[in-house]
Amino acid sequence: RSSDPANCLSMTVSSLHLPPLLAAHSLSFARNDEPVFGPLDFTVDAGEALLIRGDNGAGKTTLLRVLAGLLRPDAGRIEVDGLGTDAPARTRALAYLGHLPALKADLGALENLEFLCGLQGRRSGQSPDAAMRIVGLDGYQEALARQLSAGQKKRLSLARIWLSPAPVWLLDEPYANLDLDGIELVNRMVQAHLREGGAALVTTHGASAARPVRSRELIMQRAARRPLCHA
């Protein structure tokens, strides 16, 4: 790092012109011709967390699945680093943690992480064994995924996210099935990821994410439904 104030100022000014890591423009989704959400416009910058709040049925999970490329939007545009992307291209930039653990039940915990690193790549300077220690699963390397508790499976899924080289994390209710120590673990992981220049979108019903890092909120409301027709 340079200690020259003029150089530091130059880097600060130039960083203001960087595009957001993730942006959505007029994004909307409907199911069976009924609107679920949208149109939505938002951006997420490097070093920032976007907390997505809303009632059940507001479309929080659906939004993350659309961003992750698991569902096709009905309208709108998704950009990564200022460039429009299709779903396959977004998989290299986005790491998704959903309600299901995304683990192979008959593989060991460490085998699961090594398998996923082989598919998705690995964060520089990290290893599956170190990731297991970070999430509090040291000693469970050989345990089959199906033998783990719900909370342990969530911790193993968090280790998978930590190992991902993707700069943007999509975390759908990451606090579910975790005790207070696990909730703090999620916050520390998000904080560390943001300090390294990553970004996170987090759906949550209550627990706070990534404080005191820079964060904003996206409040989602249920989309208007078509009125029922009466004879």
Side-chain angles (χ1 to χ4, degrees), residues 21-38:
L21 280 183
L22 182 68
H25 304 283
S26 301
L27 193 65
S28 62
F29 180 83
R31 183 179 290 111
N32 298 324
D33 294 326
E34 292 287 351
V36 175
F37 67 76

Side-chain angles (χ1 to χ4, degrees), residues 20-187:
L21 280 183
L22 182 68
H25 304 283
S26 301
L27 193 65
S28 62
F29 180 83
R31 183 179 290 111
N32 298 324
D33 294 326
E34 292 287 351
V36 175
F37 67 76
L40 294 177
D41 294 273
F42 61 85
T43 61
V44 190
D45 294 322
E48 182 178 51
L50 181 67
L51 308 184
I52 304 173
R53 301 185 187 274
D55 295 334
N56 291 335
K60 302 185 298 298
T61 291
T62 302
L63 171 61
L64 293 196
R65 290 175 63 83
V66 168
L67 294 172
L70 300 175
L71 295 173
R72 185 188 299 273
D74 289 274
R77 177 180 174 88
I78 300 170
E79 296 179 351
V80 175
D81 278 334
L83 301 175
T85 61
D86 57 12
R90 288 200 301 279
T91 61
R92 295 188 290 272
L94 307 177
Y96 174 64
L97 176 70
H99 292 171
L100 298 177
L103 303 170
K104 288 187 172 291
D106 290 322
L107 288 183
L110 187 61
E111 286 181 299
N112 263 284
L113 296 183
E114 291 172 339
F115 173 76
L116 290 165
C117 285
L119 286 178
Q120 303 167 353
R122 189 174 70 188
R123 180 192 291 258
S124 176
Q126 298 295 325
S127 70
D129 199 60
M132 291 197 66
R133 291 194 296 271
I134 288 172
V135 301
L137 289 179
D138 193 24
Y140 289 87
Q141 282 83 349
E142 303 302 321
L144 299 181
R146 59 180 168 81
Q147 297 174 326
L148 300 176
S149 69
Q152 289 170 333
K153 289 177 182 177
K154 174 58 71 70
R155 286 175 180 263
L156 188 57
S157 296
L158 289 169
R160 169 179 65 84
I161 293 294
W162 178 253
L163 287 167
S164 171
V168 181
W169 289 358
L170 307 176
L171 308 180
D172 193 9
E173 294 292 342
Y175 305 107
N177 298 319
L178 291 177
D179 54 17
L180 291 178
D181 180 66
I183 291 172
E184 287 302 315
L185 168 66
V186 173
N187 287 342

